[in-house]
Amino acid sequence: MKAPLLLSLALAFPAAAQDLATDLAPVESFAGIEDDEARAAALFEEMAKVLQHPRCLNCHPVEGGPLQGDAMAPHQPPVVRGAGMGAVGMECSACHGRENVPFVGAQGSIPGHEPWQLAPVSTGWVGLSAGEICAQLKDPERNGGRDLEEIHEHNAEDGLVGWGWHPGAGRTPAPGSQEQFGALTRAWIDAGAACPG
């Protein structure tokens, strides 16, 4: 990771651990917004509490390797992207197994899920606004080739996304639950999938 990006991350997320959202508003709380576009934008702002949380951002960097922890520090040991699941000899699965593993003799854990992987560069959104992330999520050229229904399925059902609510010792879970996040995604799509300004 380049030094300017590290500095920008430090400035953008100085107190990440103290300022993390813990709750999500239910879909019903947006029913009073009559205009579909305004309601969709408000729903996405609520979704952004998850999307801009370290549990998502750490695996969605805009360059370099993954980040880790609530402070979004560069991954230790240093790792780089590879053609598949990491660089040859340093694949993600070398350290990350099927489930979280508590440290022995120390606080914290090594996160795990099968598979464990970094999001494609095209889906990186560290440092992006909610509106920029929204535009990226809707663009199949920058979202892994997904349409809106596949985005909903990913948010609501994907096990690696779900890990964000069960991250193991030493990490703050994403706000709300995957079920709530999926419901917000469904409501956002149904309202027209408009993005915040």
Side-chain angles (χ1 to χ4, degrees):
M1 189 177 296
K2 297 178 183 167
L5 178 60
L6 287 175
L7 178 59
S8 66
L9 287 173
L11 294 173
F13 303 99
Q18 293 93 29
D19 298 334
L20 298 178
T22 57
D23 296 319
L24 290 176
V27 169
E28 302 77 42
S29 66
F30 298 89
I33 304 173
E34 293 183 16
D35 179 73
D36 284 346
E37 188 172 321
R39 187 170 61 259
L43 285 159
F44 195 88
E45 286 283 358
E46 195 66 16
M47 291 167 57
K49 290 180 181 179
V50 173
L51 298 168
Q52 293 177 314
H53 190 280
R55 294 299 72 76
C56 287
L57 292 175
N58 285 346
C59 294
H60 284 268
V62 294
E63 61 182 56
L67 304 171
Q68 65 185 33
D70 289 352
M72 297 177 52
H75 191 283
Q76 293 300 322
V79 295
V80 296
R81 290 179 183 275
M85 302 289 256
V88 175
M90 280 290 286
E91 288 88 1
C92 302
S93 61
C95 296
H96 298 280
R98 294 176 177 261
E99 57 190 34
N100 300 328
V101 177
F103 292 151
V104 175
Q107 293 184 347
S109 61
I110 298 171
H113 178 273
E114 181 64 40
W116 188 263
Q117 64 189 46
L118 190 60
V121 173
S122 66
T123 65
W125 59 62
V126 170
L128 299 184
S129 69
E132 291 168 326
I133 294 170
C134 179
Q136 183 188 51
L137 277 177
K138 290 171 48 173
D139 181 356
E141 291 187 17
R142 298 186 293 155
N143 73 9
R146 294 178 169 102
D147 63 22
L148 289 175
E149 290 305 315
E150 290 167 321
I151 293 292
H152 173 259
E153 180 180 350
H154 180 68
N155 289 355
E157 299 176 23
D158 186 276
L160 189 53
V161 171
W163 173 89
W165 288 274
H166 308 282
R171 290 173 205 85
T172 304
S177 68
Q178 187 172 21
E179 181 180 1
Q180 289 175 293
F181 185 51
L184 288 165
T185 304
R186 172 85 272 148
W188 168 67
I189 293 168
D190 291 348
C195 294

